[in-house]
Amino acid sequence: MKILKRYILAQFLKTYLLMVVAMVGVFLVIDAFERLDEFVTKHGTFWDFVLYFLYKTPFILSYMAPQAVLLATVVTLVGLARNNELIAMRACGISLTGITQPILSTSLIIALGLVLLNEFVTPKTSENMNYIFYVKVRGHQNMHQTNNQNLWLRSPNGSIWNMETFDAVNNVMYDVSLFYYDREHPVMRQRIDAEKVSWNGDQWVFEKGAMRFFSPGGLDKTQFFETQVFPVLEKPEDFNKVQKRPEEMSAREMYQNVLIKESEGFDTARSLVDLHHKLSYPFISVVLALVGIPLSIRSSRRGGLLFCIGISLAIGFLFFFFYATSISLGQKGTFGPVLAAWGPCLLFITLGLYLLLTLDSEKVLPI
C-alpha cells in the first residue's frame, strides 16, 4: 500500500511541477512582451527588467499554483486509467480514497505552503516589483496608492474631518469641514468650514471660512473669519494615508488595517473581503483536486486525455467564474466577506463529494 501511495505521489508531483513551471513560464513570457514596450520607452534598464520579473514570480506562482493542481490531477489519474492501473488497484481491494489520498494530501500541503508564501514572501517581492515599475520606470514619487480625494477622518476626540482634496506634498487641504459632536449624545454642536487649510509647521491655519454653533433647537450663531487657527490633534501624516495594494500586504497587515479603519469609523466590508480572498485562494487547490478526481475517472471512461482535460477545464472555468463573481458581489456589499470568499469553495467541495459518492453511476453528472 505504501509503495502504491509513493508511486501515485511521485506521478502527481512530477506532473504538478511540470504544469506549474509551464503555466508560470507562459504567463511571464506574455507579460514580458506587454511590459517590454514601456520599459524601452521609459528608458528602464535591462537589469530592472530582469529584476521586475524575478520579483513578480512569487506572485504569479501563488496565482497559478492552485490552478495547476486541477490539470495535474486530471493528467495523473487519466494516465493511471489508460494503463489500467486504476482497475488493477481497485481489483486488489484498494479503495478510491486510498488511491487518491496522496493527491488530496499533497493539495492541502500546497495550499498551506501558498498561505506561508503569501504571508512572508509575496508581500515583500510584490513591493519591490511595484517600486521598480512605478518609481524607477514610470517615475512616480510614490509606488503606493494615496487616497487624497474626498477624505473622511475620525479624530480621537470624536470630531470628524471631511475635505475635497488633500495635497500631501504641500500639506494643504481644500474645501474642508470639521464637525464636533456632543460626547453624550450624537448631536452636532459645532461645525467649521474653510476653503483652504494649510500646515505652517506647527498647526493648521484655516482660511476664508465660517464657524457655526448649534443648540438642541438648531443653528445658534455663525461667525465668519478670514484666517483662524483652531486647536486640533491631527498632523499632516494623519491625513496622508498610504494604501498598500492587497498583494503587498500579509494577512496580518490586512487585519491590522481593518482594525484601524474600524477605529476611525470607516466601512471595512471591502477590506474584509480582500482579507478573506487572500486566505481562501490557496485552498482552491484542495477544491479543484476534490472536483477533478471524480471528473477525471468518469470522463476517462468515455474519451482520451484531451477530452478529460476539456471536461475538467470547463468545471475549473465555471468555478473561477463563480469565485470571481462572488468576490465582486462581496466588494459591492451584496454578500458578506466570509460568504463571498468561502461560499464558492464550499459549494464546489459539496459538488466534489457528491461526484465521489456517486462515482459508480453511468452518468457523468448523476441526478
Side-chain angles (χ1 to χ4, degrees), residues 61-347:
L61 176 62
S62 66
Y63 179 72
M64 289 296 185
Q67 303 178 43
V69 168
L70 178 61
L71 288 175
T73 301
V74 173
V75 173
T76 300
L77 292 178
V78 171
L80 293 175
R82 290 179 63 185
N83 296 326
N84 295 320
E85 291 171 297
L86 277 181
I87 296 175
M89 292 177 192
R90 299 192 71 179
C92 292
I94 302 175
S95 66
L96 186 62
T97 303
I99 296 172
T100 58
Q101 183 264 330
I103 296 176
L104 291 173
S105 299
T106 305
S107 301
L108 180 59
I109 292 172
I110 290 171
L112 295 175
L114 291 176
V115 171
L116 295 177
L117 180 72
N118 289 336
E119 190 70 12
F120 298 105
V121 179
T122 304
K124 183 61 179 176
T125 56
S126 295
E127 196 169 359
N128 292 337
M129 171 191 73
N130 289 328
Y131 176 79
I132 291 173
F133 187 71
Y134 290 104
V135 178
K136 301 184 73 173
V137 177
R138 288 189 170 179
H140 294 181
Q141 291 184 347
N142 197 310
M143 66 179 174
H144 297 304
Q145 300 169 333
T146 304
N147 183 12
N148 57 7
Q149 299 290 328
N150 192 25
L151 282 177
W152 290 85
L153 179 71
R154 183 187 295 274
S155 175
N157 65 6
S159 60
I160 297 177
W161 290 79
N162 174 239
M163 67 205 69
E164 184 65 28
T165 307
F166 175 59
D167 181 355
V169 177
N170 299 310
N171 293 326
V172 178
M173 312 174 193
Y174 297 95
D175 295 328
V176 181
S177 295
L178 181 57
F179 307 92
Y180 290 91
Y181 289 87
D182 194 307
R183 287 184 176 273
E184 297 181 359
H185 306 284
V187 178
M188 184 165 60
R189 57 182 177 82
Q190 184 181 355
R191 171 175 174 167
I192 300 172
D193 296 288
E195 292 183 8
K196 179 181 177 181
V197 179
S198 56
W199 179 255
N200 64 6
D202 295 314
Q203 53 195 352
W204 293 104
V205 179
F206 291 69
E207 302 176 22
K208 295 183 179 180
M211 189 167 39
R212 296 177 173 84
F213 298 88
F214 296 87
S215 63
L219 179 63
D220 192 8
K221 64 178 179 176
T222 302
Q223 296 179 356
F224 296 93
F225 59 85
E226 286 295 321
T227 302
Q228 184 73 43
V229 174
F230 297 99
V232 294
L233 301 175
E234 286 68 37
K235 295 183 178 180
E237 54 267 25
D238 296 317
F239 299 99
N240 190 19
K241 295 293 185 180
V242 173
Q243 298 179 349
K244 285 187 175 182
R245 295 171 177 82
E247 68 270 16
E248 296 174 353
M249 293 190 288
S250 65
R252 291 169 298 171
E253 289 176 316
M254 296 178 79
Y255 180 66
Q256 290 299 320
N257 186 45
V258 169
L259 294 180
I260 292 172
K261 286 186 175 181
E262 284 183 344
S263 67
E264 295 177 349
F266 290 105
D267 182 16
T268 59
R270 188 181 184 91
S271 298
L272 282 171
V273 171
D274 290 337
L275 173 59
H276 284 283
H277 180 201
K278 193 179 192 71
L279 293 173
S280 67
Y281 191 86
F283 291 95
I284 292 176
S285 303
V286 181
V287 177
L288 294 181
L290 191 59
V291 173
I293 288 170
L295 284 178
S296 301
I297 298 174
R298 286 177 180 279
S299 54
S300 65
R301 302 169 182 171
R302 293 169 172 79
L305 178 60
L306 292 179
F307 175 76
C308 299
I309 291 177
I311 293 292
S312 299
L313 285 180
I315 296 296
F317 283 127
L318 183 63
F319 169 78
F320 280 104
F321 172 77
F322 275 103
Y323 188 77
T325 302
S326 182
I327 292 294
S328 178
L329 291 174
Q331 291 174 340
K332 293 181 183 298
T334 306
F335 289 169
V338 176
L339 177 62
W342 297 97
C345 297
L346 294 176
L347 175 63

Side-chain angles (χ1 to χ4, degrees), residues 31-41 49 53:
D31 195 41
F33 278 107
E34 291 180 351
R35 299 292 189 191
L36 180 61
D37 183 62
E38 186 160 10
F39 270 86
V40 172
T41 56
F49 185 75
F53 287 101

